[in-house]
Amino acid sequence: MIHAQRVMPLNDRPPVTGRYVLYWMQQAQRTEYNHALEYATRQANALGLPLVCVFGLTDEFPETNLRHYTFMMQGLAEVSDALAERGIRFVMLRQAPDSAALRLASDAALLVTDRGYLRVQVEWRRRVAEAAPCPVMQVETDVVVPVEVVSDKEEYAARTIRPRIHKHLLEYLKPLAQTKPMHDSTGLDLDVEDLRPSLATLDGLSMDRTVGPVSAFTGGGAEARRLLSEFIAEKLADYDELRNDPSLDFVSHMGPYLHFGQISPLDIALQVIEADSPGEEAFIEELVVRRELSMNLVRYNPGYDTYEAAVPEWARRTLAAHQADPREYLYDLEHLEQADTHDEYWNAAQNEMLRTGKMHNYMRMYWGKKILEWTPTAREGFEIALNLNNKYSLDGRDPNSFAGVAWCFGKHDRPWQQRDIFGTVRYMNANGLRRKFDMDAYLRKVDG
DNA sequence: ATCGGCTCGCGCAA
DNA sequence: TGCGCGAAGCCGAT
């Protein structure tokens, strides 16, 4: 079902006649469990019109490179095939997402899109809603509980958002039925030069190619569902106990797929609950409470990517008070980027990200805490951590990335024991890693 | 191995 | 206004 709270009109244009209903795909790059696509299909059927899907492929997306584009294109090739099978024309244009949507909006009776929370995504939608001659509807499909249903303000911590999410969780854990379009649109004459969604198409785009594709993760909904099935069958039962151990592989690996909208969090949640496993509670906590806390941050804090706005006042105060503390180790961006520090665990974490496009969740915390410790100011550390994460992680620039980096600097956390450099911001060290995990095994895992 | 203290502020009870 | 308690820890005491 599609709850009314998922649907938001972005302008107040009166109904117009048109040749088709347009689904502008941007954040939710999938055909399964996509409320926006289903909403668009039902509207098209109600209006007796065919449905067309448009996607704008730009090489000017901030901070992206061949690694991100390859993963995304693997998913889009699959989307293109799946839409064709359902009789829906998929149009990929070499244009910015907003201008691609507007290019086809002129002949649309209605434009439907999905929702993204980053500034650039909000801005694209604002421009489309303003310039489109037809009504524009946004359907929120990349969270389990719609962000504004959970809270109308920036939440302070997981403990404040948790009860607000759980209050609505059952209500939103509802399957989504798939509707078949009444009219086939694959043969529609649209007078556009569209791109073929394939890896070869990337050759024609100008982008940063210094960060290459990874073999550790293949993009696309099929691969996401395969990994999810494997996780549920072999790892979920021990998730609570073993998820933090970086020498093991007891995580779901859903991050990159969620980032590109290649799988739906609702779909994941329903499958995990269906499995009736002891790991359910811990997993839902990560997938829904903590993930949607990061959506809350990006939605309500316009400076989510800056030190001054994203890091809370108490943390900035205590870090500023320790600004002048001597640093035993100091590294610049280049040395950190090349995993060239005195700390073999940190280097391994950085190398894991460089080589696989993903860093183990627990090491991400350690990694960020050490950047804070080894850079001249907390502000510089914050910027370096964000920069490296966005560049090399497949899920860089996700709300989770911004929240995760900010957490290392005190966001969504509480003060702890006073110490040098950190003040009362939570500290982590290598002894903790060794105490809890087989770190030699982690080093072998990354280097092997 | 286990435990308390560290330290701040939100949110609820009163 | 008071009070309990918290996104993943550390450290020293027992």
Side-chain angles (χ1 to χ4, degrees), chain A residues 8 115 117-118 122 140 146-156 161 164 292-304 309-310 411-412:
Chain A
M8 195 188 296
R115 184 172 189 184
Y117 306 90
L118 301 186
V122 172
E140 189 166 6
V147 169
E148 281 94 356
V149 169
V150 172
S151 176
D152 60 3
K153 64 174 199 301
E154 183 182 1
E155 289 294 326
Y156 189 78
I161 204 172
R164 294 173 176 274
E292 295 184 13
L293 175 60
S294 70
M295 309 301 174
N296 172 275
L297 166 68
V298 168
R299 165 65 182 80
Y300 291 112
N301 187 332
Y304 57 82
K411 184 69 180 176
H412 297 149

PDB file of all heavy atoms in Angstrom, chain A residues 8 115 117-118 122 140 146-156 161 164 292-304 309-310 411-412:
ATOM      1  N   MET A   8       3.525  13.831  -1.693  1.00  0.00           N
ATOM      2  CA  MET A   8       3.552  15.269  -1.427  1.00  0.00           C
ATOM      3  C   MET A   8       3.525  16.038  -2.743  1.00  0.00           C
ATOM      4  O   MET A   8       4.392  15.837  -3.589  1.00  0.00           O
ATOM      5  CB  MET A   8       4.852  15.597  -0.679  1.00  0.00           C
ATOM      6  CG  MET A   8       4.886  16.955  -0.027  1.00  0.00           C
ATOM      7  SD  MET A   8       6.552  17.312   0.612  1.00  0.00           S
ATOM      8  CE  MET A   8       6.743  16.054   1.867  1.00  0.00           C
ATOM      9  N   ARG A 115      11.878  10.723  -3.736  1.00  0.00           N
ATOM     10  CA  ARG A 115      12.389  11.768  -2.861  1.00  0.00           C
ATOM     11  C   ARG A 115      13.848  11.528  -2.492  1.00  0.00           C
ATOM     12  O   ARG A 115      14.250  10.406  -2.206  1.00  0.00           O
ATOM     13  CB  ARG A 115      11.567  11.829  -1.573  1.00  0.00           C
ATOM     14  CG  ARG A 115      12.012  12.978  -0.672  1.00  0.00           C
ATOM     15  CD  ARG A 115      11.096  13.173   0.512  1.00  0.00           C
ATOM     16  NE  ARG A 115      11.454  14.406   1.212  1.00  0.00           N
ATOM     17  CZ  ARG A 115      10.905  14.826   2.336  1.00  0.00           C
ATOM     18  NH1 ARG A 115       9.935  14.124   2.885  1.00  0.00           N
ATOM     19  NH2 ARG A 115      11.294  15.943   2.906  1.00  0.00           N
ATOM     20  N   TYR A 117      17.029  13.594  -0.072  1.00  0.00           N
ATOM     21  CA  TYR A 117      17.086  14.548   1.043  1.00  0.00           C
ATOM     22  C   TYR A 117      18.255  15.521   0.962  1.00  0.00           C
ATOM     23  O   TYR A 117      18.268  16.535   1.656  1.00  0.00           O
ATOM     24  CB  TYR A 117      17.129  13.785   2.372  1.00  0.00           C
ATOM     25  CG  TYR A 117      15.985  12.810   2.487  1.00  0.00           C
ATOM     26  CD1 TYR A 117      16.104  11.503   2.035  1.00  0.00           C
ATOM     27  CD2 TYR A 117      14.753  13.238   2.980  1.00  0.00           C
ATOM     28  CE1 TYR A 117      15.049  10.609   2.102  1.00  0.00           C
ATOM     29  CE2 TYR A 117      13.680  12.356   3.044  1.00  0.00           C
ATOM     30  CZ  TYR A 117      13.832  11.047   2.599  1.00  0.00           C
ATOM     31  OH  TYR A 117      12.771  10.190   2.656  1.00  0.00           O
ATOM     32  N   LEU A 118      19.249  15.209   0.121  1.00  0.00           N
ATOM     33  CA  LEU A 118      20.410  16.097   0.015  1.00  0.00           C
ATOM     34  C   LEU A 118      19.999  17.428  -0.616  1.00  0.00           C
ATOM     35  O   LEU A 118      19.043  17.489  -1.389  1.00  0.00           O
ATOM     36  CB  LEU A 118      21.505  15.455  -0.842  1.00  0.00           C
ATOM     37  CG  LEU A 118      22.069  14.113  -0.383  1.00  0.00           C
ATOM     38  CD1 LEU A 118      23.235  13.714  -1.288  1.00  0.00           C
ATOM     39  CD2 LEU A 118      22.521  14.155   1.064  1.00  0.00           C
ATOM     40  N   VAL A 122      17.001  18.210  -3.384  1.00  0.00           N
ATOM     41  CA  VAL A 122      15.858  19.070  -3.057  1.00  0.00           C
ATOM     42  C   VAL A 122      15.768  20.209  -4.073  1.00  0.00           C
ATOM     43  O   VAL A 122      14.686  20.570  -4.551  1.00  0.00           O
ATOM     44  CB  VAL A 122      15.988  19.613  -1.613  1.00  0.00           C
ATOM     45  CG1 VAL A 122      14.925  20.666  -1.324  1.00  0.00           C
ATOM     46  CG2 VAL A 122      15.914  18.465  -0.612  1.00  0.00           C
ATOM     47  N   GLU A 140       7.657   9.488  -1.339  1.00  0.00           N
ATOM     48  CA  GLU A 140       8.800   9.160  -0.472  1.00  0.00           C
ATOM     49  C   GLU A 140       8.899   7.643  -0.307  1.00  0.00           C
ATOM     50  O   GLU A 140       8.068   7.031   0.362  1.00  0.00           O
ATOM     51  CB  GLU A 140       8.579   9.838   0.889  1.00  0.00           C
ATOM     52  CG  GLU A 140       9.747   9.774   1.821  1.00  0.00           C
ATOM     53  CD  GLU A 140       9.574  10.740   2.997  1.00  0.00           C
ATOM     54  OE1 GLU A 140       8.491  11.357   3.132  1.00  0.00           O
ATOM     55  OE2 GLU A 140      10.533  10.876   3.771  1.00  0.00           O
ATOM     56  N   PRO A 146       7.992   7.870   6.728  1.00  0.00           N
ATOM     57  CA  PRO A 146       8.282   9.184   6.150  1.00  0.00           C
ATOM     58  C   PRO A 146       8.905  10.128   7.188  1.00  0.00           C
ATOM     59  O   PRO A 146       8.493  10.140   8.347  1.00  0.00           O
ATOM     60  CB  PRO A 146       6.912   9.683   5.684  1.00  0.00           C
ATOM     61  CG  PRO A 146       6.138   8.430   5.411  1.00  0.00           C
ATOM     62  CD  PRO A 146       6.618   7.435   6.422  1.00  0.00           C
ATOM     63  N   VAL A 147       9.893  10.892   6.735  1.00  0.00           N
ATOM     64  CA  VAL A 147      10.699  11.700   7.652  1.00  0.00           C
ATOM     65  C   VAL A 147       9.864  12.669   8.485  1.00  0.00           C
ATOM     66  O   VAL A 147      10.074  12.804   9.687  1.00  0.00           O
ATOM     67  CB  VAL A 147      11.795  12.450   6.845  1.00  0.00           C
ATOM     68  CG1 VAL A 147      12.481  13.506   7.680  1.00  0.00           C
ATOM     69  CG2 VAL A 147      12.826  11.440   6.341  1.00  0.00           C
ATOM     70  N   GLU A 148       8.876  13.326   7.856  1.00  0.00           N
ATOM     71  CA  GLU A 148       8.063  14.293   8.607  1.00  0.00           C
ATOM     72  C   GLU A 148       7.032  13.617   9.519  1.00  0.00           C
ATOM     73  O   GLU A 148       6.539  14.250  10.447  1.00  0.00           O
ATOM     74  CB  GLU A 148       7.354  15.272   7.663  1.00  0.00           C
ATOM     75  CG  GLU A 148       8.252  16.392   7.156  1.00  0.00           C
ATOM     76  CD  GLU A 148       8.884  16.053   5.816  1.00  0.00           C
ATOM     77  OE1 GLU A 148       8.683  14.921   5.321  1.00  0.00           O
ATOM     78  OE2 GLU A 148       9.600  16.920   5.249  1.00  0.00           O
ATOM     79  N   VAL A 149       6.703  12.374   9.240  1.00  0.00           N
ATOM     80  CA  VAL A 149       5.805  11.638  10.142  1.00  0.00           C
ATOM     81  C   VAL A 149       6.544  11.349  11.453  1.00  0.00           C
ATOM     82  O   VAL A 149       5.981  11.424  12.544  1.00  0.00           O
ATOM     83  CB  VAL A 149       5.320  10.314   9.498  1.00  0.00           C
ATOM     84  CG1 VAL A 149       4.626   9.426  10.522  1.00  0.00           C
ATOM     85  CG2 VAL A 149       4.392  10.605   8.329  1.00  0.00           C
ATOM     86  N   VAL A 150       7.836  11.059  11.339  1.00  0.00           N
ATOM     87  CA  VAL A 150       8.644  10.743  12.519  1.00  0.00           C
ATOM     88  C   VAL A 150       8.808  11.974  13.395  1.00  0.00           C
ATOM     89  O   VAL A 150       8.599  11.919  14.609  1.00  0.00           O
ATOM     90  CB  VAL A 150      10.035  10.204  12.107  1.00  0.00           C
ATOM     91  CG1 VAL A 150      10.948  10.071  13.315  1.00  0.00           C
ATOM     92  CG2 VAL A 150       9.887   8.867  11.405  1.00  0.00           C
ATOM     93  N   SER A 151       9.204  13.090  12.801  1.00  0.00           N
ATOM     94  CA  SER A 151       9.522  14.271  13.597  1.00  0.00           C
ATOM     95  C   SER A 151       9.482  15.520  12.742  1.00  0.00           C
ATOM     96  O   SER A 151       9.733  15.467  11.543  1.00  0.00           O
ATOM     97  CB  SER A 151      10.923  14.121  14.196  1.00  0.00           C
ATOM     98  OG  SER A 151      11.287  15.290  14.906  1.00  0.00           O
ATOM     99  N   ASP A 152       9.167  16.656  13.382  1.00  0.00           N
ATOM    100  CA  ASP A 152       9.175  17.912  12.643  1.00  0.00           C
ATOM    101  C   ASP A 152      10.396  18.757  12.969  1.00  0.00           C
ATOM    102  O   ASP A 152      10.448  19.937  12.672  1.00  0.00           O
ATOM    103  CB  ASP A 152       7.885  18.704  12.918  1.00  0.00           C
ATOM    104  CG  ASP A 152       7.722  19.042  14.396  1.00  0.00           C
ATOM    105  OD1 ASP A 152       8.632  18.718  15.194  1.00  0.00           O
ATOM    106  OD2 ASP A 152       6.687  19.631  14.749  1.00  0.00           O
ATOM    107  N   LYS A 153      11.398  18.132  13.605  1.00  0.00           N
ATOM    108  CA  LYS A 153      12.609  18.892  13.913  1.00  0.00           C
ATOM    109  C   LYS A 153      13.841  17.986  13.902  1.00  0.00           C
ATOM    110  O   LYS A 153      13.716  16.768  13.837  1.00  0.00           O
ATOM    111  CB  LYS A 153      12.473  19.539  15.282  1.00  0.00           C
ATOM    112  CG  LYS A 153      12.367  18.548  16.424  1.00  0.00           C
ATOM    113  CD  LYS A 153      12.380  19.304  17.751  1.00  0.00           C
ATOM    114  CE  LYS A 153      12.740  18.420  18.917  1.00  0.00           C
ATOM    115  NZ  LYS A 153      11.824  17.293  19.102  1.00  0.00           N
ATOM    116  N   GLU A 154      15.014  18.613  13.957  1.00  0.00           N
ATOM    117  CA  GLU A 154      16.254  17.851  14.015  1.00  0.00           C
ATOM    118  C   GLU A 154      16.320  17.132  15.354  1.00  0.00           C
ATOM    119  O   GLU A 154      16.235  17.758  16.404  1.00  0.00           O
ATOM    120  CB  GLU A 154      17.462  18.777  13.852  1.00  0.00           C
ATOM    121  CG  GLU A 154      18.780  18.015  13.828  1.00  0.00           C
ATOM    122  CD  GLU A 154      20.001  18.940  13.714  1.00  0.00           C
ATOM    123  OE1 GLU A 154      19.840  20.169  13.671  1.00  0.00           O
ATOM    124  OE2 GLU A 154      21.119  18.397  13.665  1.00  0.00           O
ATOM    125  N   GLU A 155      16.471  15.815  15.315  1.00  0.00           N
ATOM    126  CA  GLU A 155      16.524  15.042  16.552  1.00  0.00           C
ATOM    127  C   GLU A 155      17.927  15.081  17.151  1.00  0.00           C
ATOM    128  O   GLU A 155      18.916  15.219  16.454  1.00  0.00           O
ATOM    129  CB  GLU A 155      16.093  13.601  16.288  1.00  0.00           C
ATOM    130  CG  GLU A 155      14.609  13.477  16.003  1.00  0.00           C
ATOM    131  CD  GLU A 155      13.732  13.834  17.198  1.00  0.00           C
ATOM    132  OE1 GLU A 155      14.132  13.570  18.343  1.00  0.00           O
ATOM    133  OE2 GLU A 155      12.628  14.383  16.972  1.00  0.00           O
ATOM    134  N   TYR A 156      17.957  14.941  18.470  1.00  0.00           N
ATOM    135  CA  TYR A 156      19.212  15.111  19.192  1.00  0.00           C
ATOM    136  C   TYR A 156      20.062  13.838  19.163  1.00  0.00           C
ATOM    137  O   TYR A 156      21.288  13.899  19.128  1.00  0.00           O
ATOM    138  CB  TYR A 156      18.890  15.494  20.637  1.00  0.00           C
ATOM    139  CG  TYR A 156      20.095  15.893  21.425  1.00  0.00           C
ATOM    140  CD1 TYR A 156      20.652  17.163  21.272  1.00  0.00           C
ATOM    141  CD2 TYR A 156      20.690  15.011  22.313  1.00  0.00           C
ATOM    142  CE1 TYR A 156      21.778  17.539  21.988  1.00  0.00           C
ATOM    143  CE2 TYR A 156      21.813  15.377  23.044  1.00  0.00           C
ATOM    144  CZ  TYR A 156      22.349  16.637  22.867  1.00  0.00           C
ATOM    145  OH  TYR A 156      23.460  17.011  23.562  1.00  0.00           O
ATOM    146  N   ILE A 161      14.912   9.798  18.719  1.00  0.00           N
ATOM    147  CA  ILE A 161      14.143   9.464  17.503  1.00  0.00           C
ATOM    148  C   ILE A 161      13.562   8.053  17.592  1.00  0.00           C
ATOM    149  O   ILE A 161      12.542   7.757  16.964  1.00  0.00           O
ATOM    150  CB  ILE A 161      15.003   9.620  16.220  1.00  0.00           C
ATOM    151  CG1 ILE A 161      14.100   9.872  14.995  1.00  0.00           C
ATOM    152  CG2 ILE A 161      15.919   8.415  15.985  1.00  0.00           C
ATOM    153  CD1 ILE A 161      14.844  10.219  13.726  1.00  0.00           C
ATOM    154  N   ARG A 164       9.906   7.671  18.483  1.00  0.00           N
ATOM    155  CA  ARG A 164       9.091   8.312  17.450  1.00  0.00           C
ATOM    156  C   ARG A 164       8.967   7.432  16.216  1.00  0.00           C
ATOM    157  O   ARG A 164       7.935   7.446  15.537  1.00  0.00           O
ATOM    158  CB  ARG A 164       9.710   9.665  17.054  1.00  0.00           C
ATOM    159  CG  ARG A 164       9.688  10.692  18.173  1.00  0.00           C
ATOM    160  CD  ARG A 164      10.461  11.924  17.770  1.00  0.00           C
ATOM    161  NE  ARG A 164      10.390  12.971  18.763  1.00  0.00           N
ATOM    162  CZ  ARG A 164       9.404  13.860  18.824  1.00  0.00           C
ATOM    163  NH1 ARG A 164       8.435  13.831  17.933  1.00  0.00           N
ATOM    164  NH2 ARG A 164       9.410  14.776  19.761  1.00  0.00           N
ATOM    165  N   GLU A 292      17.457   6.200   9.481  1.00  0.00           N
ATOM    166  CA  GLU A 292      16.485   7.279   9.301  1.00  0.00           C
ATOM    167  C   GLU A 292      16.791   8.472  10.213  1.00  0.00           C
ATOM    168  O   GLU A 292      16.329   9.584   9.970  1.00  0.00           O
ATOM    169  CB  GLU A 292      15.058   6.715   9.394  1.00  0.00           C
ATOM    170  CG  GLU A 292      14.873   5.761   8.212  1.00  0.00           C
ATOM    171  CD  GLU A 292      13.513   5.115   7.993  1.00  0.00           C
ATOM    172  OE1 GLU A 292      12.525   5.529   8.603  1.00  0.00           O
ATOM    173  OE2 GLU A 292      13.463   4.179   7.153  1.00  0.00           O
ATOM    174  N   LEU A 293      17.628   8.252  11.228  1.00  0.00           N
ATOM    175  CA  LEU A 293      18.161   9.381  11.997  1.00  0.00           C
ATOM    176  C   LEU A 293      19.045  10.250  11.092  1.00  0.00           C
ATOM    177  O   LEU A 293      19.050  11.474  11.203  1.00  0.00           O
ATOM    178  CB  LEU A 293      18.975   8.877  13.204  1.00  0.00           C
ATOM    179  CG  LEU A 293      19.704   9.932  14.046  1.00  0.00           C
ATOM    180  CD1 LEU A 293      18.734  10.940  14.651  1.00  0.00           C
ATOM    181  CD2 LEU A 293      20.527   9.268  15.158  1.00  0.00           C
ATOM    182  N   SER A 294      19.755   9.617  10.174  1.00  0.00           N
ATOM    183  CA  SER A 294      20.606  10.402   9.279  1.00  0.00           C
ATOM    184  C   SER A 294      19.773  11.166   8.247  1.00  0.00           C
ATOM    185  O   SER A 294      20.130  12.272   7.841  1.00  0.00           O
ATOM    186  CB  SER A 294      21.670   9.526   8.621  1.00  0.00           C
ATOM    187  OG  SER A 294      21.081   8.648   7.699  1.00  0.00           O
ATOM    188  N   MET A 295      18.636  10.607   7.844  1.00  0.00           N
ATOM    189  CA  MET A 295      17.718  11.347   6.964  1.00  0.00           C
ATOM    190  C   MET A 295      17.168  12.568   7.718  1.00  0.00           C
ATOM    191  O   MET A 295      17.022  13.651   7.162  1.00  0.00           O
ATOM    192  CB  MET A 295      16.531  10.489   6.525  1.00  0.00           C
ATOM    193  CG  MET A 295      16.865   9.139   5.955  1.00  0.00           C
ATOM    194  SD  MET A 295      17.913   9.235   4.507  1.00  0.00           S
ATOM    195  CE  MET A 295      18.262   7.514   4.221  1.00  0.00           C
ATOM    196  N   ASN A 296      16.890  12.352   8.995  1.00  0.00           N
ATOM    197  CA  ASN A 296      16.390  13.455   9.830  1.00  0.00           C
ATOM    198  C   ASN A 296      17.423  14.580   9.904  1.00  0.00           C
ATOM    199  O   ASN A 296      17.087  15.763   9.802  1.00  0.00           O
ATOM    200  CB  ASN A 296      16.054  12.926  11.231  1.00  0.00           C
ATOM    201  CG  ASN A 296      15.723  14.031  12.218  1.00  0.00           C
ATOM    202  OD1 ASN A 296      16.620  14.604  12.821  1.00  0.00           O
ATOM    203  ND2 ASN A 296      14.449  14.351  12.369  1.00  0.00           N
ATOM    204  N   LEU A 297      18.686  14.218  10.054  1.00  0.00           N
ATOM    205  CA  LEU A 297      19.761  15.222  10.111  1.00  0.00           C
ATOM    206  C   LEU A 297      19.812  16.040   8.822  1.00  0.00           C
ATOM    207  O   LEU A 297      19.831  17.269   8.839  1.00  0.00           O
ATOM    208  CB  LEU A 297      21.116  14.520  10.341  1.00  0.00           C
ATOM    209  CG  LEU A 297      22.365  15.380  10.103  1.00  0.00           C
ATOM    210  CD1 LEU A 297      22.472  16.486  11.149  1.00  0.00           C
ATOM    211  CD2 LEU A 297      23.628  14.523  10.114  1.00  0.00           C
ATOM    212  N   VAL A 298      19.806  15.331   7.676  1.00  0.00           N
ATOM    213  CA  VAL A 298      19.945  16.018   6.401  1.00  0.00           C
ATOM    214  C   VAL A 298      18.690  16.848   6.088  1.00  0.00           C
ATOM    215  O   VAL A 298      18.778  17.949   5.544  1.00  0.00           O
ATOM    216  CB  VAL A 298      20.253  14.992   5.289  1.00  0.00           C
ATOM    217  CG1 VAL A 298      20.113  15.607   3.914  1.00  0.00           C
ATOM    218  CG2 VAL A 298      21.655  14.421   5.478  1.00  0.00           C
ATOM    219  N   ARG A 299      17.526  16.332   6.491  1.00  0.00           N
ATOM    220  CA  ARG A 299      16.279  17.047   6.220  1.00  0.00           C
ATOM    221  C   ARG A 299      16.171  18.352   7.015  1.00  0.00           C
ATOM    222  O   ARG A 299      15.705  19.361   6.512  1.00  0.00           O
ATOM    223  CB  ARG A 299      15.083  16.137   6.545  1.00  0.00           C
ATOM    224  CG  ARG A 299      13.726  16.821   6.656  1.00  0.00           C
ATOM    225  CD  ARG A 299      13.265  17.413   5.332  1.00  0.00           C
ATOM    226  NE  ARG A 299      11.973  18.107   5.463  1.00  0.00           N
ATOM    227  CZ  ARG A 299      11.827  19.335   5.939  1.00  0.00           C
ATOM    228  NH1 ARG A 299      12.885  20.045   6.311  1.00  0.00           N
ATOM    229  NH2 ARG A 299      10.624  19.888   6.017  1.00  0.00           N
ATOM    230  N   TYR A 300      16.590  18.309   8.289  1.00  0.00           N
ATOM    231  CA  TYR A 300      16.335  19.470   9.150  1.00  0.00           C
ATOM    232  C   TYR A 300      17.562  20.321   9.460  1.00  0.00           C
ATOM    233  O   TYR A 300      17.432  21.379  10.059  1.00  0.00           O
ATOM    234  CB  TYR A 300      15.683  19.008  10.459  1.00  0.00           C
ATOM    235  CG  TYR A 300      14.268  18.503  10.267  1.00  0.00           C
ATOM    236  CD1 TYR A 300      13.932  17.168  10.445  1.00  0.00           C
ATOM    237  CD2 TYR A 300      13.260  19.397   9.879  1.00  0.00           C
ATOM    238  CE1 TYR A 300      12.641  16.709  10.262  1.00  0.00           C
ATOM    239  CE2 TYR A 300      11.961  18.957   9.693  1.00  0.00           C
ATOM    240  CZ  TYR A 300      11.655  17.612   9.882  1.00  0.00           C
ATOM    241  OH  TYR A 300      10.370  17.174   9.692  1.00  0.00           O
ATOM    242  N   ASN A 301      18.760  19.849   9.081  1.00  0.00           N
ATOM    243  CA  ASN A 301      19.954  20.658   9.325  1.00  0.00           C
ATOM    244  C   ASN A 301      20.591  21.022   7.984  1.00  0.00           C
ATOM    245  O   ASN A 301      21.288  20.207   7.382  1.00  0.00           O
ATOM    246  CB  ASN A 301      20.951  19.883  10.198  1.00  0.00           C
ATOM    247  CG  ASN A 301      22.142  20.740  10.618  1.00  0.00           C
ATOM    248  OD1 ASN A 301      22.529  21.668   9.915  1.00  0.00           O
ATOM    249  ND2 ASN A 301      22.707  20.422  11.768  1.00  0.00           N
ATOM    250  N   PRO A 302      20.352  22.246   7.509  1.00  0.00           N
ATOM    251  CA  PRO A 302      20.834  22.615   6.179  1.00  0.00           C
ATOM    252  C   PRO A 302      22.357  22.579   6.070  1.00  0.00           C
ATOM    253  O   PRO A 302      22.902  22.510   4.975  1.00  0.00           O
ATOM    254  CB  PRO A 302      20.296  24.035   5.969  1.00  0.00           C
ATOM    255  CG  PRO A 302      19.771  24.493   7.273  1.00  0.00           C
ATOM    256  CD  PRO A 302      19.594  23.308   8.171  1.00  0.00           C
ATOM    257  N   GLY A 303      23.048  22.603   7.200  1.00  0.00           N
ATOM    258  CA  GLY A 303      24.509  22.552   7.147  1.00  0.00           C
ATOM    259  C   GLY A 303      25.052  21.186   7.502  1.00  0.00           C
ATOM    260  O   GLY A 303      26.118  21.067   8.089  1.00  0.00           O
ATOM    261  N   TYR A 304      24.329  20.134   7.102  1.00  0.00           N
ATOM    262  CA  TYR A 304      24.700  18.757   7.480  1.00  0.00           C
ATOM    263  C   TYR A 304      26.105  18.364   7.041  1.00  0.00           C
ATOM    264  O   TYR A 304      26.671  17.419   7.567  1.00  0.00           O
ATOM    265  CB  TYR A 304      23.685  17.765   6.907  1.00  0.00           C
ATOM    266  CG  TYR A 304      23.538  17.834   5.399  1.00  0.00           C
ATOM    267  CD1 TYR A 304      24.434  17.186   4.558  1.00  0.00           C
ATOM    268  CD2 TYR A 304      22.499  18.549   4.810  1.00  0.00           C
ATOM    269  CE1 TYR A 304      24.311  17.260   3.181  1.00  0.00           C
ATOM    270  CE2 TYR A 304      22.362  18.635   3.432  1.00  0.00           C
ATOM    271  CZ  TYR A 304      23.271  17.992   2.622  1.00  0.00           C
ATOM    272  OH  TYR A 304      23.137  18.069   1.261  1.00  0.00           O
ATOM    273  N   ALA A 309      27.877  23.415  11.560  1.00  0.00           N
ATOM    274  CA  ALA A 309      26.440  23.129  11.726  1.00  0.00           C
ATOM    275  C   ALA A 309      26.165  21.690  12.163  1.00  0.00           C
ATOM    276  O   ALA A 309      25.239  21.435  12.929  1.00  0.00           O
ATOM    277  CB  ALA A 309      25.700  23.431  10.424  1.00  0.00           C
ATOM    278  N   ALA A 310      26.976  20.752  11.662  1.00  0.00           N
ATOM    279  CA  ALA A 310      26.654  19.339  11.909  1.00  0.00           C
ATOM    280  C   ALA A 310      27.125  18.873  13.282  1.00  0.00           C
ATOM    281  O   ALA A 310      26.546  17.962  13.867  1.00  0.00           O
ATOM    282  CB  ALA A 310      27.265  18.461  10.820  1.00  0.00           C
ATOM    283  N   LYS A 411      28.428  14.234  17.136  1.00  0.00           N
ATOM    284  CA  LYS A 411      27.007  14.309  16.777  1.00  0.00           C
ATOM    285  C   LYS A 411      26.262  13.049  17.218  1.00  0.00           C
ATOM    286  O   LYS A 411      26.771  11.938  17.075  1.00  0.00           O
ATOM    287  CB  LYS A 411      26.874  14.484  15.263  1.00  0.00           C
ATOM    288  CG  LYS A 411      25.439  14.660  14.774  1.00  0.00           C
ATOM    289  CD  LYS A 411      24.874  15.975  15.202  1.00  0.00           C
ATOM    290  CE  LYS A 411      23.434  16.133  14.715  1.00  0.00           C
ATOM    291  NZ  LYS A 411      22.849  17.392  15.236  1.00  0.00           N
ATOM    292  N   HIS A 412      25.068  13.224  17.734  1.00  0.00           N
ATOM    293  CA  HIS A 412      24.208  12.112  18.161  1.00  0.00           C
ATOM    294  C   HIS A 412      24.843  11.297  19.285  1.00  0.00           C
ATOM    295  O   HIS A 412      24.432  10.173  19.551  1.00  0.00           O
ATOM    296  CB  HIS A 412      23.864  11.173  16.981  1.00  0.00           C
ATOM    297  CG  HIS A 412      23.080  11.837  15.888  1.00  0.00           C
ATOM    298  ND1 HIS A 412      23.184  11.481  14.570  1.00  0.00           N
ATOM    299  CD2 HIS A 412      22.167  12.829  15.924  1.00  0.00           C
ATOM    300  CE1 HIS A 412      22.384  12.230  13.826  1.00  0.00           C
ATOM    301  NE2 HIS A 412      21.744  13.054  14.628  1.00  0.00           N
TER     302      HIS A 412
END
